[in-house]
Amino acid sequence: MRGLSLPDTILRATSAWIACAVLLVSSAFAGVDTTPPVITTCAPNTVIPADGNCMGSLPDLTGSVVATDDSGMVTITQSPIPGTLVGASGLVVTFTATDPSSNTATCTANITLGPDTDGDGTPDCNDGCPMDPAKIAPGVCGCGVADTDTDNDGTPDCNDGCPNDPNKILAGVCGCGTPDTDTDGDGTADCHDGCPTDPAKIAPGLCGCGVADTDSDGDGVPNCNDGCPNDPNK
């Protein structure tokens, strides 16, 4: 049997070393835990009572979180930490489950202040209309009444006598939908003036608008119909 040449010896030695290194690395990584915990139950959304300053203290809710891990050991933490002050806008708490290999899983819960009587998402302590779910401030019309301005005239319906007429907030002489215009300036609005362009008449009379019903000779026939307006006998 012939001996191995030097190159063959080096090649075989190198192959053996590589195989050994791969085995060692594989063995090292075989024991590493890369599987994160599984959170089966997160803390529920929670309402905490507000104090006189409309603030509340965040409780420790980690006990409500349930998580499992292959290692059998899981640490639960929360952020922000217990004791953090919660304002009227509330906050979101993040819960983190960590196993001994530092693998993590997270879940969240919404924290709000209460009570919130009308259920509008604004706690009573910061709600100017705690019984009105549509408003958090009285506005112009007050709690329980919407500040709707149907005709967009700048006056809400609650104070607008003509809520569908953008030109009027009171019915006036002519009513909603009709302007109180007095074209001839005679003191009678056009809507009630039979001769809206004749300042001397509000009804046509015998002679019609624009013509006075004058009876110069006093014979009972106005001049417009009297062929002898100055002769009472004819």
Side-chain angles (χ1 to χ4, degrees):
M1 180 176 178
R2 290 169 37 184
L4 296 173
S5 65
L6 181 57
D8 288 339
T9 301
I10 294 175
L11 179 60
R12 291 195 177 192
T14 300
S15 298
W17 180 86
I18 292 175
C20 182
V22 170
L23 179 62
L24 290 174
V25 171
S26 299
S27 298
F29 278 97
V32 175
D33 177 12
T34 60
T35 302
V38 175
I39 297 177
T40 56
T41 303
C42 194
N45 294 333
T46 303
V47 178
I48 59 177
D51 61 19
N53 295 316
C54 206
M55 300 291 287
S57 179
L58 179 65
D60 184 348
L61 299 172
T62 56
S64 300
V65 180
V66 178
T68 61
D69 186 73
D70 293 341
S71 69
M73 297 177 59
V74 182
T75 300
I76 307 295
T77 58
Q78 76 177 49
S79 177
I81 62 173
T84 298
L85 290 179
V86 180
S89 60
L91 53 76
V92 176
V93 176
T94 300
F95 300 92
T96 302
T98 306
D99 68 12
S101 298
S102 297
N103 299 307
T104 62
T106 62
C107 68
T108 61
N110 295 317
I111 309 301
T112 55
L113 293 184
D116 177 13
T117 303
D118 55 17
D120 61 359
T122 300
D124 292 357
C125 62
N126 200 45
D127 194 336
C129 294
M131 304 295 289
D132 183 348
K135 302 176 79 173
I136 60 172
V140 176
C141 298
C143 299
V145 180
D147 293 332
T148 304
D149 179 11
T150 302
D151 55 17
N152 294 312
D153 62 357
T155 300
D157 295 356
C158 65
N159 291 333
D160 194 336
C162 294
N164 293 298
D165 184 346
N167 297 311
K168 302 178 76 173
I169 60 172
L170 295 173
V173 176
C174 298
C176 299
T178 303
D180 294 333
T181 305
D182 179 10
T183 303
D184 55 18
D186 62 358
T188 300
D190 293 356
C191 63
H192 292 157
D193 194 335
C195 294
T197 60
D198 183 346
K201 303 177 76 173
I202 60 172
L206 295 174
C207 296
C209 297
V211 179
D213 293 334
T214 305
D215 180 10
S216 300
D217 56 15
D219 61 0
V221 178
N223 295 353
C224 64
N225 293 330
D226 192 339
C228 297
N230 294 302
D231 184 346
N233 299 309
K234 297 179 70 176

